[in-house]
Amino acid sequence: MITSSTDPQPADFADVRATNLAVVLRFVREHAPCSRADIAASTGLNKATVSSLVADLIDRRLVRETGLTENRVGRPATMLVLDGSPYAAIGLEINVDYVTAVAVDLAGERLLSWRRAFPGSVAAVAAIVRRVVNRMAKEDKQILGLTVAVPGLVDGQGVVRVAPNLGWLDTDVSGDLAKALRDPGFPIQADNDANLGALAEHRFGPHGAVSDLVYLTGELGVGAGVILDGRLRRGGRGYSGEIGHIQIDPQGPQCRCGRIGCLEAVAGIGAVLEHASPSPVEVELEIEEVVRRARAGDARTLALLGGVGRDLGRGVAILANLLNPQVVILGGYYVPLAPWLLPAVEAEVRERTIAPEAGGCQVVMSSLGYDAAALGGAARVLDSVDSGRLPRIS
Amino acid sequence: MITSSTDPQPADFADVRATNLAVVLRFVREHAPCSRADIAASTGLNKATVSSLVADLIDRRLVRETGLTENRVGRPATMLVLDGSPYAAIGLEINVDYVTAVAVDLAGERLLSWRRAFPGSVAAVAAIVRRVVNRMAKEDKQILGLTVAVPGLVDGQGVVRVAPNLGWLDTDVSGDLAKALRDPGFPIQADNDANLGALAEHRFGPHGAVSDLVYLTGELGVGAGVILDGRLRRGGRGYSGEIGHIQIDPQGPQCRCGRIGCLEAVAGIGAVLEHASPSPVEVELEIEEVVRRARAGDARTLALLGGVGRDLGRGVAILANLLNPQVVILGGYYVPLAPWLLPAVEAEVRERTIAPEAGGCQVVMSSLGYDAAALGGAARVLDSVDSGRLPRIS
């Protein structure tokens, strides 16, 4: 039986069948290949019910039978796997210096991955989305939804309240996109980039089994996506994870927000760049140059990265003390700089965490790279399928 | 229907009846006085099932009928309320300078509340528990369980890994207590004092409807209990909430943990006391003296409290940025000092939080006072009843 740690639920649901379809779909996603008997044994649903639910999921092309069978006493069992090939979930990240678009199918297989310099306007972003939609149409994919990742405070209604590094205030980016796309026929949502990075790591990364995880964006801004007990925790108004403006060094430089010594000011990617305000397209090139100099053993570069690593470690130690995550994942531009940042980060975290062995907190680099937030956008669309909003094949 | 935001559950439970008993009990606790028809309408359970479940709960003396009726078309409905008077849940807090014991019935009515200087040994604590148990026996109460609150890191098995201010290391306080009590016939658990303070506020305080809440202990140590989406979040190993050793001021004094400028060192209660290491019994008296001087307008005292309030505000701003709680509750010795601490705390939080209006975060004083952690111990016992472990009347 699938159990959870939440309050007990009454046992006769208004919509038993929809709930059970989602339960079976989730089971197949997590345990494929598996047989109908496996599903019955693990969910507590009876075999006739499972057969009927599986037939429905096969009709919707969410699940398919494989040629494989399982050897059992009696009849061999046909094995099931996730299908979902007719469907696509789209994620889009808008950041200061780039736009990333990804599309995945229901099984998380990558259908498309694009990265472009940020064109500066929602209308131009809509043009990118239109091209993604056209590509998916050509491949006969039904689009389940689109989530836009933004580096800023996104409220419960999906409105971007403040995105300081984009200069956005009270921007309904999902509404604006829907309008520019003239009612595209699929839902559009917006969410914080760090939240979506955490969702992506939890669904597609190697730490999916971990229940307490924090994802840190390593961009010009720094944000945290907080997963505790297996779920993203957004806080009262949806503004959790704003680690970028916690003061790390009262003697430090002024942050773009006006405060002094914020994590973002001392350990954001801007702190390792030559130019205080690099032009957007230059960031990636500048990071490559820093990596080249570090590889060559340039003393000034190594000292700079060591200092940034220490300050970043002070931020991660706050997470380790306060949230006791099993894993903190460094994303974005931190990934190419990892070999030089990680030792200093780890030393600070061990030193500054009151729990023995930093409470078991590991600091690792994202394996999803620059696509993490966009992938998280797609993950959020797939999550809504998992929680019972099943598509009908059109 | 009672819903939750977690993954869908299969609809035929192995133990439907136990689950539904807990659902009905919880409904009555939250909505009493209510009728059987109210329960059926809200939970989605059918009326015959509700009648049978209510009869069972009445047999167990968990629910009782009142004389009240509700005017309806047709037969007047008998109203139900929580009973639970034959049961007691015990909470015990062991802190550096005192031991607090409370007992409550199932409805949260206070049966007993004691506060003593900490006698220094688990054997002496056991003697206090024995007296509580005897008192409950005299009042014909069946004891559901006991939770011990400790200011330290408590792991998933309930072992106190480190309690620096008590000088404890790897102490199985619940096991030791059970042995000293010679198998008392009820379960004994241990938990972190801040976690239990948060549980108490969530169950008994005026902020029970709030889903994102942080409780801060104001003792010689400072810890945080973190409730997000309505549940205590313990982190990977159970060590969440260790805000006391986050560095607030790199130029600050050395903390007892050896680190520099920890929140505990700059804004723990020790920072407002005359004596660096007051003897345990003196703490309460010294705080009274500080309050007396502040009331008299003593400039040095007011400056001291203003500074502590500012440093505490820097800690609360970390919470507001990272977790976006609706409420941060200051407990323990912060309560009597509230009138002088709060203005500085609030100003810092507004100043240092990136979200507008501090993300909606309110800073308030605990209304549970010195009993909060012990009450939380009792709340944890009651939580296990809520989640389906129903007592049988013996």
Side-chain angles (χ1 to χ4, degrees), chain A residues 1-14 16 19-20 22-23 26 43-46 153 162 164 212 224 226 228-229 231-243 245-248 250-251 257 259 314 318-326 350-357 359-360 386-387, chain B residues 1-14 16 19-20 22-23 26 43-46 153 162 164 212 224 226 228-229 231-243 245-248 250-251 257 259 314 318-326 350-357 359-360 386-387:
Chain A
M1 176 187 276
I2 295 167
T3 56
S4 91
S5 60
T6 50
D7 293 321
Q9 301 281 302
D12 46 37
F13 286 89
V16 170
T19 302
N20 287 341
V23 167
R26 225 162 56 92
T43 61
L45 296 167
N46 73 54
L153 302 171
V162 197
D212 298 271
V226 176
L228 298 174
D229 294 327
R231 294 256 150 189
L232 195 61
R233 303 300 166 188
R234 298 174 177 278
R237 292 194 181 171
Y239 302 154
S240 71
E242 290 302 323
I243 195 172
H245 301 282
I246 289 178
Q247 187 177 62
I248 295 297
Q251 315 294 317
C257 74
R259 296 176 185 82
R314 291 162 77 170
I318 291 175
L319 294 171
N321 276 309
L322 204 50
L323 302 177
N324 186 216
Q326 291 149 291
R350 273 195 308 274
E351 173 79 22
R352 290 173 179 271
T353 305
I354 185 92
E357 304 154 6
D386 277 359
S387 60
Chain B
M1 175 185 276
I2 295 167
T3 56
S4 91
S5 61
T6 51
D7 294 320
Q9 301 281 303
D12 46 36
F13 285 89
V16 170
T19 302
N20 287 341
V23 167
R26 225 162 57 90
T43 61
L45 296 166
N46 73 53
L153 302 170
V162 196
D212 299 270
V226 176
L228 297 173
D229 293 327
R231 294 255 150 190
L232 195 61
R233 303 300 165 188
R234 298 173 176 279
R237 293 193 180 171
Y239 302 153
S240 72
E242 290 301 324
I243 195 172
H245 301 282
I246 288 178
Q247 187 176 63
I248 295 297
Q251 316 294 317
C257 74
R259 297 175 185 82
R314 292 163 75 170
I318 291 175
L319 295 171
N321 277 308
L322 204 50
L323 302 177
N324 186 216
Q326 292 148 288
R350 273 195 307 273
E351 173 80 22
R352 291 173 178 271
T353 305
I354 185 91
E357 302 155 6
D386 277 358
S387 60

Side-chain angles (χ1 to χ4, degrees), chain B residues 27-48:
Chain B
F27 185 87
V28 175
R29 179 164 72 78
E30 288 167 5
H31 302 277
C34 60
S35 68
R36 289 166 177 83
D38 295 335
I39 299 170
S42 297
T43 61
L45 296 166
N46 73 53
K47 285 184 189 175

